[in-house]
Amino acid sequence: MASPIRWRSPLRGPWLTSVLGSVLLVSMPIVIVTGLLSYVAYGEQARPADVGWLHLPTFDWPTDPSWLFRLTQGLHVGLGLVLMPVVLAKLWSVIPRLFVFPPARSVAQALERLTLLMLVGGLLFEIVTGVLNIQYDYVFGFSFYTAHYYGAWVFVVGFVSHVALKLPTMVRSLRSGSLREELRTRRADTTPEPIDPEDPDSLVPTDPDAPTMSRRGLFALVGGGSLLTFALTAGQTIGGPTRQLALLLPRGLDSGDGPNDFPVNKTADAAAVDAASTGSSWRLSLEAGDTTVTLDREQLLDLAQHTAVLPIACVEGWSTTQTWTGVRLRDLAAQVGLAEPTGAYVESLQEKGAFKAADLNAGQVTHDDALLALQVNGVDLSLDHGFPARIIVPAMPGVLNTKWVASIRFEGA
Ligand SMILES: Nc1nc2c(c(=O)[nH]1)N[C@H]1C(S)=C(S)[C@@H](COP(=O)(O)O)O[C@H]1N2
Ligand SMILES: [Mo]
């Protein structure tokens, strides 16, 4: 197969591609599975409305352990970001293939190239939409959830076919070299991989240039890139002074004062929730069937208070663990005569925006630590963190922990 461009890097070859590929083979399934779990955790409302048979069988997202979503979503976003340098290196290693002419010589090969298009196109699309979502830049004119979900399936089909087609080659190529030896080889001693007579499409250049770096140097560059990405993102989860380093996850750099000093996703200003509607005229409306009970904040504080240490874990990958105090959702259901609520629909004072309401499942309403929080870290919630009252439930995606709650409608008999 002829390429119009002469690719001459002596580092390129099936062994190098396979080493990079094996890293992705192990790690990408984690990104895929945790992403699909996020789809389950979000519940009915965030699911793309019309996905036909692409609907996965779902289950009620559990409430134990309380760090479950923190872990799955942290892995999804964290690993997704950290793998970007590996993906780029892998693409670089196979780039001559992109320019081969004619693009396909047989039907089988045309199909193979179609799966490659799905693999690379799907992955780049997922990276771009994912990163833009983290940056809070909804520049695209479509729903992030729908797009990222469809894109995921395109990528998964490409990924699975690619692995099925290339696994034997990968295993054979990995055996053709030794990582340990390559890690000891300096630039001056770096030589091209042997050309495999049985593989005319080999990535090894026929007229290689002199090396400008060793393979060890290339691995260090890629690993360094991943480490840098990690350093620029992990602070959002670790917290403390490292938070200021999390430049790639800018959300939540905005935070409050004193005990309320932890990341704010959307400020009261941004949600157009004003101090007047949250002041002394605020009432919480509790509903079940035809029963409605209205309570003010004093009355809520007179009910049994419960304290729990729980994380907020946002879909964007950041998380923060705080000590919350308030009324158990179970006790609020009892106020409207429901001993065993099977779910709840929570609405906020916010009039516009995607996150102004949320559906909770049975476990999320009845858990001992499922709260309508009035306080955090021993003081009243700040307006930005949801004063006068907010939902906080173990293991629930951040987005469902509605702030500035106005009403809760309980379901159940
Ligand atoms: N009413 C309302 N509640 C909301 C949101 C919102 O935009 N409006 N954002 C949600 C999201 S996406 C997250 S991650 C958490 C963040 O809570 P915090 O801002 O107190 O950290 O609040 C959730 N509750
Ligand atoms: Mo969030």
Side-chain angles (χ1 to χ4, degrees):
M1 235 190 267
S3 165
I5 306 172
R6 304 228 310 283
W7 303 94
R8 296 175 59 178
S9 168
L11 300 190
R12 271 202 195 90
W15 180 80
L16 181 78
T17 295
S18 299
V19 171
L20 295 168
S22 61
V23 173
L24 295 173
L25 177 64
V26 174
S27 50
M28 272 302 166
I30 302 178
V31 181
I32 294 170
V33 169
T34 50
L36 293 175
L37 284 176
S38 183
Y39 164 92
V40 174
Y42 262 62
E44 224 38 74
Q45 57 197 335
R47 269 170 216 152
D50 186 23
V51 293
W53 52 269
L54 279 181
H55 260 303
L56 284 176
T58 55
F59 50 89
D60 271 3
W61 188 249
T63 43
D64 279 301
S66 66
W67 41 262
L68 183 66
F69 188 74
R70 192 176 181 206
L71 177 74
T72 59
Q73 196 60 19
L75 275 176
H76 182 68
V77 175
L79 210 50
L81 287 169
V82 162
L83 286 176
M84 283 191 321
V86 186
V87 168
L88 289 179
K90 173 90 174 13
L91 286 177
W92 172 84
S93 81
V94 294
I95 203 131
R97 291 274 161 83
L98 205 65
F99 294 92
V100 287
F101 192 82
R105 287 171 302 185
S106 64
V107 176
Q109 210 184 23
L111 278 176
E112 192 222 312
R113 296 194 71 98
L114 179 70
T115 62
L116 273 185
L117 190 70
M118 294 175 78
L119 174 77
V120 177
L123 185 54
L124 293 181
F125 182 81
E126 291 304 272
I127 292 177
V128 169
T129 50
V131 168
L132 284 178
N133 183 56
I134 294 170
Q135 307 298 319
Y136 220 179
D137 266 334
Y138 295 92
V139 285
F140 27 82
F142 43 75
S143 146
F144 167 74
Y145 298 100
T146 313
H148 206 66
Y149 185 69
Y150 278 119
W153 283 110
V154 173
F155 168 64
V156 166
V157 170
F159 182 76
V160 170
S161 341
H162 187 65
V163 171
L165 288 167
K166 294 291 183 176
L167 198 61
T169 314
M170 190 188 104
V171 172
R172 186 159 32 89
S173 306
L174 278 178
R175 291 217 180 100
S176 73
S178 151
L179 182 62
R180 194 176 304 167
E181 221 162 87
E182 209 51 61
L183 289 178
R184 285 203 220 102
T185 309
R186 292 172 310 154
R187 181 180 59 141
D189 303 325
T190 300
T191 52
E193 291 181 33
I195 294 185
D196 180 354
E198 279 172 38
D199 180 13
D201 294 343
S202 174
L203 292 162
V204 182
T206 43
D207 53 347
D209 273 334
T212 52
M213 67 161 70
S214 62
R215 289 191 184 82
R216 156 174 90 176
L218 183 128
F219 292 143
L221 190 68
V222 174
S226 289
L227 269 180
L228 185 68
T229 315
F230 182 78
L232 292 180
T233 52
Q236 287 273 295
T237 294
I238 299 166
T242 61
R243 199 205 292 160
Q244 300 305 321
L245 261 179
L247 300 173
L248 281 180
L249 290 175
R251 195 92 69 101
L253 282 178
D254 213 355
S255 54
D257 297 320
N260 274 283
D261 178 20
F262 59 94
V264 172
N265 179 289
K266 192 182 266 180
T267 59
D269 253 357
V273 171
D274 58 0
S277 59
T278 59
S280 55
S281 65
W282 177 82
R283 297 287 180 277
L284 173 71
S285 164
L286 300 171
E287 297 151 29
D290 298 332
T291 319
T292 301
V293 170
T294 310
L295 300 172
D296 64 19
R297 203 164 183 278
E298 287 306 312
Q299 290 169 308
L300 284 168
L301 283 165
D302 284 343
L303 297 176
Q305 302 291 300
H306 179 74
T307 297
V309 178
L310 294 175
I312 288 186
C314 182
V315 67
E316 279 97 26
W318 64 266
S319 52
T320 175
T321 302
Q322 307 295 335
T323 304
W324 309 89
T325 303
V327 185
R328 284 186 169 126
L329 293 180
R330 230 196 302 121
D331 294 348
L332 292 177
Q335 294 279 318
V336 279
L338 279 188
E340 278 171 54
T342 55
Y345 179 70
V346 180
E347 274 185 297
S348 76
L349 293 170
Q350 207 182 326
E351 273 164 24
K352 279 196 270 229
F355 311 144
K356 63 190 177 75
D359 267 312
L360 275 50
N361 67 35
Q364 290 165 339
V365 179
T366 52
H367 193 284
D368 266 353
D369 288 341
L371 303 179
L372 180 72
L374 306 168
Q375 296 187 307
V376 65
N377 302 320
V379 301
D380 278 348
L381 291 170
S382 67
L383 188 56
D384 282 342
H385 283 304
F387 184 88
R390 78 167 305 160
I391 299 289
I392 183 88
V393 171
M396 195 158 75
V399 62
L400 301 182
N401 292 294
T402 308
K403 306 196 277 193
W404 315 293
V405 172
S407 68
I408 306 177
R409 194 175 64 239
F410 292 99
E411 286 128 39

